[in-house]
């Protein structure tokens, strides 16, 4: 008949102890770690990265949008054919008609939403971390006007984007009663011929310019690309980009109101 050795007893004892420890109800259950990108996004640094990267994407879009819209000055045939190319031919025949445009729209929407959410969450984190107000009045005054108004210019830009889509993409009747699908030139003239609409576009683009200025300046710091010796270049880039977009966009309603385009 087989006998149990001392070694076997000891081994079984250790196994039983280990099993008990593994199922000890007093110990917290092991937490499953989230993917790296989600872990990073949960930090303030990660949210700044998200804002900077989505900001770069959106800045690229507004620049491309402006360059395309400059065809307005070449006449109706030029900008209408450009609009048709965007809707029907961009990416074709590699992709079906309009597929590339929808991919771009979805990507831009995702970048826009993530930019807003990250900005809101970062603001909440900063408020919770700040237990006291500014130590001196001059600390607040030292901040750029653009930085102090980012929240409000962001809200104006958001409202402007919704209105702009309703005006020139969706053709909402109450916004642009003379909207005609595919007639880009005629739609622009019809919309900007109304002084109130033109004034709203000018105001919104001024807010966009202020927002772009601070965004273009701060994205270098958010991405860790800042260098004090190059601050003058950062400032020049931020100023130049904001002025280019603002002046270019504002020129369209002014051109319509003054009869240069019409």
């Amino acid at each position: 008949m087989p006998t149990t050795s001392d070694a076997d007893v000891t081994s079984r004892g250790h196994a039983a102890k280990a099993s008990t420890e593994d199922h000890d109800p007093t110990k917290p259950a092991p937490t499953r770690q989230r993917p790296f990108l989600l872990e990073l996004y949960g930090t303030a640094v990660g949210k700044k990265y998200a804002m900077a990267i989505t900001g770069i994407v959106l800045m690229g879009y507004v620049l491309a949008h402006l360059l395309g819209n400059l065809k307005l000055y070449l006449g109706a045939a030029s900008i209408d054919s450009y609009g048709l190319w965007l809707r029907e031919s961009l990416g074709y025949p590699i992709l079906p008609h309009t597929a590339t445009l929808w991919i771009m729209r979805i990507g831009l929407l995702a970048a826009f939403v993530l930019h807003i959410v990250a900005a809101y969450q970062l603001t909440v984190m900063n408020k919770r971390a700040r237990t006291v107000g500014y130590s001196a009045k001059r600390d607040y005054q030292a901040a750029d006007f653009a930085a102090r108004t980012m929240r409000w210019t962001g809200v104006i830009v958001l409202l402007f984007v919704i209105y702009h889509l309703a005006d020139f993409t969706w053709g909402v009747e109450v916004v642009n009663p003379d909207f005609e699908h595919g007639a880009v030139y005629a739609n622009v003239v019809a919309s900007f011929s109304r002084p109130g609409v033109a004034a709203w576009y000018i105001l919104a683009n001024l807010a966009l310019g202020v927002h772009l200025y601070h965004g273009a300046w701060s994205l270098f710091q958010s991405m860790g690309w800042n260098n004090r010796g190059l601050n003058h270049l950062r400032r020049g880039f931020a100023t130049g980009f904001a002025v280019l977009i603002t002046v270019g966009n504002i020129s369209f309603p002014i051109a319509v109101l003054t009869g240069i385009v019409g």
Side-chain angles (χ1 to χ4, degrees):
M1 209 176 157
T3 59
T4 303
S5 65
D6 292 341
D8 290 338
V9 173
T10 303
S11 176
R12 292 175 183 175
H14 286 315
K17 182 178 179 181
S19 177
T20 303
E21 289 177 350
D22 289 342
H23 297 86
D24 188 351
T26 63
K27 289 186 176 181
T31 57
R32 186 176 181 180
Q33 191 168 0
R34 295 183 299 175
F36 170 75
L37 289 179
L38 290 179
E39 287 289 339
L40 178 62
Y41 182 77
T43 67
V45 172
K47 296 185 193 306
K48 289 182 179 181
Y49 280 152
M51 287 192 65
I53 294 171
T54 54
I56 293 172
V57 171
L58 295 171
M59 286 170 61
Y61 168 74
V62 296
L63 177 60
H65 188 63
L66 170 63
L67 295 177
N69 287 343
L70 288 174
K71 294 182 180 296
L72 182 74
Y73 294 115
L74 300 179
S78 180
I79 195 166
D80 286 354
S81 62
Y82 169 68
L84 180 63
W85 173 77
L86 279 178
R87 293 190 305 273
E88 302 290 339
S89 303
L90 181 61
Y92 182 81
I94 298 176
L95 294 173
H97 290 296
T98 74
T100 303
L101 182 61
W102 277 105
I103 291 172
M104 292 173 58
R105 284 172 172 171
I106 293 171
L108 286 169
L109 178 62
F112 196 71
V113 170
L114 180 57
H115 192 79
I116 294 173
V117 171
Y120 171 76
Q121 292 177 340
L122 193 58
T123 300
V124 172
M125 291 178 69
N126 289 338
K127 284 184 176 180
R128 289 175 179 173
R130 187 185 302 133
T131 56
V132 295
Y134 290 96
S135 58
K137 186 176 181 180
R138 66 176 180 273
D139 293 336
Y140 180 75
Q141 293 175 336
D144 282 341
F145 171 80
R148 290 188 279 114
T149 57
M150 281 294 280
R151 185 183 310 168
W152 304 114
T153 56
V155 171
I156 294 174
V157 170
L158 174 61
L159 295 175
F160 168 67
V161 168
I162 296 173
Y163 185 92
H164 184 68
L165 290 171
D167 194 358
F168 294 129
T169 301
W170 303 328
V172 177
E173 185 174 359
V174 70
V175 176
N176 192 348
D178 299 316
F179 179 85
E180 181 182 348
H181 183 75
V184 181
Y185 188 91
N187 291 335
V188 170
V189 172
S191 183
F192 291 159
S193 294
R194 295 174 290 170
V197 174
W200 162 234
Y201 268 82
I202 292 172
L203 173 64
N205 276 284
L206 288 173
L208 174 62
V210 173
H211 200 84
L212 285 173
Y213 169 76
H214 180 70
W217 162 261
S218 62
L219 74 84
F220 290 92
Q221 185 172 359
S222 297
M223 296 298 296
W225 300 336
N226 54 317
N227 185 314
R228 287 185 178 275
L230 300 178
N231 275 356
H232 64 289
L233 297 178
R234 290 173 58 197
R235 187 78 67 181
F237 168 75
T239 302
F241 188 84
V243 169
L244 172 65
I245 299 300
T246 304
V247 172
N249 285 340
I250 284 178
S251 74
F252 302 130
I254 292 176
V256 173
L257 285 176
T258 56
I260 297 175
V261 171

